[in-house]
Amino acid sequence: MEEAYKEGKLKAIGVCNFYPARLADLCETVEVIPAVNQVELHPFFQQDNALALMKEYGVIPEAWGPFAEGNHGIFTHPVLTKIGEKYGKSAAQVALRWNIQRGVVVIPKSVHKDRMEQNIDVWDFSLSDADMEEIAKLDLGHSEIVNHDDPAFTKMLHSLKIHD
């Protein structure tokens, strides 16, 4: 990847699911620091220490699953809904704006045009420090979607075929 980058064949190198120890190991080993690290980031799994380390190395965080894959009633969650009411925004828009204000790139998934329009309509407001603190209280400190430290999960990933 570094050779292809240096030859101009790639504009950037990115990684996915590099938790802090793995990211530090990589960044201390390579010549070209990854431009982006795509990790699970949403109000229920905030990964503040991972964000701090990415900032230290100049790696841009990108959220996969910024809506927690619909878990925890994120689209109707009382904290997010109450904050949204102050700004005339939905709970989903609050969740996106929260990550954006933390310096996280968000690319939410939707197949519905109205939701796509809502997802992009997050640039005309900013959450207050008090709102950010309320959302911080939602952090569970771990993922409920996937456990990257589980050997069975790693084995399952290796069993997947991406081509014949």
Side-chain angles (χ1 to χ4, degrees), residues 1 8 17 34 39 61 72 74 87 100 107 124 132 159-160:
M1 298 291 283
N17 296 319
V39 296
H72 300 281
I74 192 166
Y87 303 98
I100 290 165
I107 305 176
D124 61 346
M132 296 294 283
S159 73
L160 298 175

Side-chain angles (χ1 to χ4, degrees), residues 94-108:
V94 168
L96 291 176
R97 185 67 204 177
W98 165 81
N99 247 335
I100 290 165
Q101 282 184 219
R102 297 184 333 135
V104 176
V105 172
V106 292
I107 305 176

Side-chain angles (χ1 to χ4, degrees), residues 16 32 43 46 63-64 68 109-110 118 120 122 124 136 138 140 156 164:
C16 184
V32 180
Q46 300 180 13
W64 67 256
K109 175 186 167 189
S110 182
Q118 256 191 27
I120 203 155
V122 295
D124 61 346
L138 301 178
L140 300 172
M156 182 278 299
D164 291 326

Side-chain angles (χ1 to χ4, degrees), residues 7-33:
E7 292 169 3
K9 294 177 182 176
L10 305 175
K11 291 187 178 193
I13 296 173
V15 294
C16 184
N17 296 319
F18 272 58
Y19 285 93
R22 186 163 296 176
L23 183 66
D25 184 38
L26 178 72
C27 290
E28 293 295 330
T29 306
V30 298
E31 292 179 36
V32 180
I33 301 293

Side-chain angles (χ1 to χ4, degrees), residues 41-46 66-68 74 80 95 98-99 135-140:
L41 292 166
H42 51 74
F44 309 104
F45 188 38
Q46 300 180 13
F67 293 138
I74 192 166
L80 301 174
W98 165 81
N99 247 335
I135 296 169
K137 294 175 187 174
L138 301 178
D139 189 21
L140 300 172

Side-chain angles (χ1 to χ4, degrees), residues 71-164:
N71 294 328
H72 300 281
I74 192 166
F75 300 114
T76 58
H77 193 280
V79 171
L80 301 174
T81 300
K82 183 177 179 184
I83 292 170
E85 287 172 357
K86 291 180 1 183
Y87 303 98
K89 299 293 181 179
S90 68
Q93 289 170 307
V94 168
L96 291 176
R97 185 67 204 177
W98 165 81
N99 247 335
I100 290 165
Q101 282 184 219
R102 297 184 333 135
V104 176
V105 172
V106 292
I107 305 176
K109 175 186 167 189
S110 182
V111 296
H112 302 283
K113 184 181 179 192
D114 60 323
R115 290 186 192 147
M116 289 178 199
E117 290 170 348
Q118 256 191 27
N119 291 344
I120 203 155
D121 187 24
V122 295
W123 301 102
D124 61 346
F125 75 108
S126 292
L127 299 172
S128 70
D129 290 342
D131 296 332
M132 296 294 283
E133 289 171 19
E134 280 303 303
I135 296 169
K137 294 175 187 174
L138 301 178
D139 189 21
L140 300 172
H142 64 275
S143 173
E144 292 187 326
I145 297 172
V146 63
N147 179 356
H148 291 277
D149 292 323
D150 180 3
F153 177 73
T154 302
K155 289 177 184 179
M156 182 278 299
L157 288 177
H158 282 277
S159 73
L160 298 175
K161 289 187 175 190
I162 57 172
H163 53 78
D164 291 326

